[in-house]
Amino acid sequence: MTPTLEVRHLSKRFAATQALEDVSLSFHAGKVHAVVGENGAGKSTLMNLIAGVHQPDAGALLLEGAPVRFRSPHDALSRGIGFVHQEMALCQHVSVAENVFMAQVDGGRSLIDFRELQARAAGLLAQFGAHVDPRSKVGDLSVSQQQVVEIVKALSMRCKVIIFDEPTASLNEQEAARLFEIVTQLRARGLCVLYISHRLVEIFRICDEVSVLRDGKLVGTGPVAEVTQRGLVERMVGRELADIYPAKATRRGAPVLEVDGLSSGKLFAGVSFTARAGEIVGFAGLVGSGRTEVARTVCGLCRRTAGTVRVQGQPLDARSYRDAIDRGVVYLTEDRKTEGLFLEMSLASNVSVMDLDAVATHGLIDRAAEEGLASRSMGEMAIKAAGPAAKVGSLSGGNQQKVLISKLLSVSPRVVFMDEPTRGIDIGAKAHIYRALRALAESGVAVIVISSELPEVVGLCDRVVVMNEGRVCGEIEGAGVGEQAIMSMACLESAEARA
């Protein structure tokens, strides 16, 4: 059977970096084909070549057996290649219908029949059971609804191939489950689906074929049913990864953080918990349960309306994040690109920004001291970059996350809140971050991890605080920490609250 899409001997170099080297792959109709690898393995480069974002230095693309060369993303879309980006490529200030048919509207026409566009868009949206008004502004939609709009936009062009790039990175569990249903529908319709994800459980859930890239080269390809998760990880990292998660705590010290009856208006109420030296405390629960809001309130980023917080026995009343930092309490945001990093600034400037006094002399930044701090961080966190002067925006997602963690650790914190610490990064980077968090806990720092990935919570945390609808509904520790126990507690409490 002729492949829907075929790449032959594709290569691409950016300056001194060989991003892709002699890669050949075939993608077939009615199949979901995963492309996996560590950050920097060449996945995004391959997809950008297929979608017309970049032009290959060597090699060829074939669409249904015929050679093609796409001059731009619009050219690729018009020929049947749809791309659902991790970061939405939609116009936020116009309607759903206008976004769906934007590439097809004839700009030379004096009038556009918006009712016709809305009716056509409504028909496409209905195919996926999407409760989205085609007249709504895209900026008013949830992330999962925007993804449906991206998919419908591709289908409106009668796409033969749809690329999904980390589609669940910003979705909750219910939204992700709906996306999987849509991908299954696309496969049943005979479309060719290319799927990129760092979440290996998704690969084994919905994909038929999997190809592994490492350092820009194809390592292997074959049916998902013929590979194990461990085997896939070892192909991705090029070595045996015996244990992704480090050993759990063998002893626990005195309380470092004590929270009692903490409330923040309507966000959450009466939250109490303790974090001790030597342990990692996990926060789990359904989306909207208040986990992130608790962390932000302790750190002065949300308003506290009741309750007390103590750090090493001393009261903390943080009216601002600066107050929290000065007491050694820091927060790693779940949105590193918008809230966590200065993408256009250097690695050195990002790492030092929370404590400029440490790298300043007489009120002026000492560049040598700043770069020295960054160099130490690069070594300790295994950050891959050209050097301290490299722009953070040029780094892979995993290395950006390591820079963000280094930024927090630069102030020698006593308490660290980690909100989705490994979102959107590869398995190798995850393993390194897990080891760093365990070392931090063993050094006496209170480490609190908020994560929507239950395997991460179970594998990493010594004790888990479960939240639901703005309150703590229980704690689990030791051998009792498991996915079923966590979800049973959260879901039972949710059902009781509705009764």
Side-chain angles (χ1 to χ4, degrees):
M1 180 184 295
T2 302
T4 300
L5 176 69
E6 189 175 0
V7 300
R8 292 182 182 174
H9 308 293
L10 281 188
S11 295
K12 182 66 179 180
R13 176 182 288 274
F14 295 99
T17 302
Q18 187 69 47
L20 208 66
E21 185 175 352
D22 195 29
V23 170
S24 297
L25 280 170
S26 297
F27 306 99
H28 294 268
K31 299 287 185 182
V32 181
H33 195 127
V35 179
V36 301
E38 294 190 274
N39 290 112
K43 306 183 302 295
S44 294
T45 299
L46 175 61
M47 296 305 140
N48 284 332
L49 292 176
I50 291 172
V53 176
H54 300 306
Q55 301 300 310
D57 297 331
L61 288 171
L62 284 79
L63 188 62
E64 295 183 325
V68 291
R69 189 174 184 88
F70 303 130
R71 298 180 181 85
S72 67
H74 183 270
D75 188 18
L77 181 61
S78 67
R79 297 292 298 275
I81 309 293
F83 201 153
V84 181
H85 296 267
Q86 179 179 349
E87 296 173 4
M88 301 300 167
L90 296 170
C91 295
Q92 300 290 307
H93 302 293
V94 301
S95 72
V96 169
E98 288 169 281
N99 270 276
V100 169
F101 296 107
M102 190 169 291
Q104 303 172 51
V105 172
D106 183 355
R109 291 175 57 182
S110 58
L111 294 174
I112 296 173
D113 189 338
F114 286 100
R115 287 189 177 181
E116 180 193 356
L117 290 186
Q118 292 161 6
R120 290 167 61 194
L124 289 169
L125 290 163
Q127 295 177 21
F128 295 102
H131 301 293
V132 177
D133 188 337
R135 298 168 296 180
S136 299
K137 284 186 178 180
V138 163
D140 295 334
L141 305 182
S142 68
V143 173
S144 61
Q145 289 174 321
Q146 289 188 35
Q147 280 195 330
V148 172
V149 175
E150 285 268 29
I151 296 168
V152 168
K153 178 180 175 181
L155 293 181
S156 74
M157 297 291 290
R158 296 181 174 83
C159 282
K160 307 176 181 73
V161 178
I162 293 188
I163 301 168
F164 288 92
D165 184 8
E166 294 290 348
T168 62
S170 300
L171 302 184
N172 61 39
E173 291 182 20
Q174 294 85 355
E175 291 170 335
R178 180 62 188 137
L179 176 70
F180 298 152
E181 293 174 3
I182 291 174
V183 171
T184 301
Q185 286 180 258
L186 297 175
R187 174 172 52 193
R189 292 184 182 192
L191 273 74
C192 173
V193 179
L194 279 58
Y195 196 89
I196 299 174
S197 179
H198 288 307
R199 297 179 178 177
L200 298 188
V201 65
E202 297 177 7
I203 306 303
F204 288 89
R205 178 171 176 175
I206 63 171
C207 297
D208 305 295
E209 306 282 335
V210 59
S211 295
V212 181
L213 296 178
R214 186 172 70 241
D215 298 327
K217 299 178 181 179
L218 179 66
V219 176
T221 190
V224 171
E226 295 180 7
V227 66
T228 65
Q229 183 165 326
R230 179 176 293 275
L232 196 57
V233 168
E234 290 174 0
R235 284 188 182 185
M236 289 165 59
V237 301
R239 63 189 183 279
E240 184 175 348
L241 203 60
D243 293 303
I244 297 174
Y245 300 105
K248 294 198 175 186
T250 55
R251 58 179 182 173
R252 301 176 193 179
V256 179
L257 175 68
E258 299 169 275
V259 176
D260 184 29
L262 190 67
S263 300
S264 180
K266 296 181 179 179
L267 297 176
F268 63 88
V271 170
S272 301
F273 68 95
T274 300
R276 298 175 177 273
E279 70 174 350
I280 297 178
V281 177
F283 263 67
L286 304 175
V287 171
S289 61
R291 301 167 300 171
T292 291
E293 290 76 10
V294 168
R296 293 177 70 90
T297 300
V298 171
C299 295
L301 292 165
C302 290
R303 187 173 66 91
R304 182 197 309 182
T305 55
T308 61
V309 177
R310 301 176 75 85
V311 176
Q312 293 184 319
Q314 298 300 311
L316 169 65
D317 184 16
R319 303 298 178 89
S320 69
Y321 188 33
R322 184 75 256 172
D323 289 344
I325 294 171
D326 290 344
R327 290 291 306 280
V329 181
V330 296
Y331 169 71
L332 181 134
T333 175
E334 61 183 326
D335 187 353
R336 63 176 175 262
K337 290 190 175 181
T338 302
E339 297 183 348
L341 296 169
F342 299 99
L343 298 178
E344 294 303 313
M345 293 174 64
S346 69
L347 189 159
S349 296
N350 272 273
V351 170
S352 66
V353 73
M354 287 180 68
D355 188 10
L356 293 176
D357 289 341
V359 293
T361 303
H362 305 302
L364 298 175
I365 300 296
D366 182 336
R367 296 302 177 190
E370 188 179 58
E371 292 191 0
L373 175 63
S375 295
R376 289 194 296 275
S377 296
M378 289 176 68
E380 292 168 0
M381 290 298 295
I383 299 170
K384 295 179 181 179
K391 281 189 177 182
V392 168
S394 69
L395 306 184
S396 69
N399 285 305
Q400 288 183 5
Q401 192 73 350
K402 291 177 183 178
V403 171
L404 183 54
I405 293 174
S406 296
K407 170 184 166 183
L408 300 185
L409 299 187
S410 71
V411 299
S412 301
R414 300 182 180 121
V415 178
V416 176
F417 285 94
M418 294 280 175
D419 200 347
E420 305 291 355
T422 64
R423 172 174 285 171
I425 66 175
D426 64 72
I427 196 73
K430 284 184 178 183
H432 189 95
I433 289 173
Y434 295 150
R435 291 193 296 271
L437 294 182
R438 179 54 65 186
L440 201 61
E442 290 176 349
S443 73
V445 175
V447 179
I448 300 97
V449 172
I450 302 166
S451 177
S452 298
E453 295 189 39
L454 286 182
E456 180 169 86
V457 174
V458 172
L460 181 64
C461 301
D462 305 295
R463 184 159 51 88
V464 179
V465 177
V466 184
M467 289 192 67
N468 180 267
E469 297 183 3
R471 61 193 179 95
V472 172
C473 54
E475 286 192 17
I476 310 171
E477 63 180 307
V481 175
E483 293 186 40
Q484 184 174 351
I486 292 170
M487 288 308 297
S488 294
M489 183 175 288
C491 292
L492 179 61
E493 290 291 328
S494 181
E496 290 176 349
R498 288 193 298 268

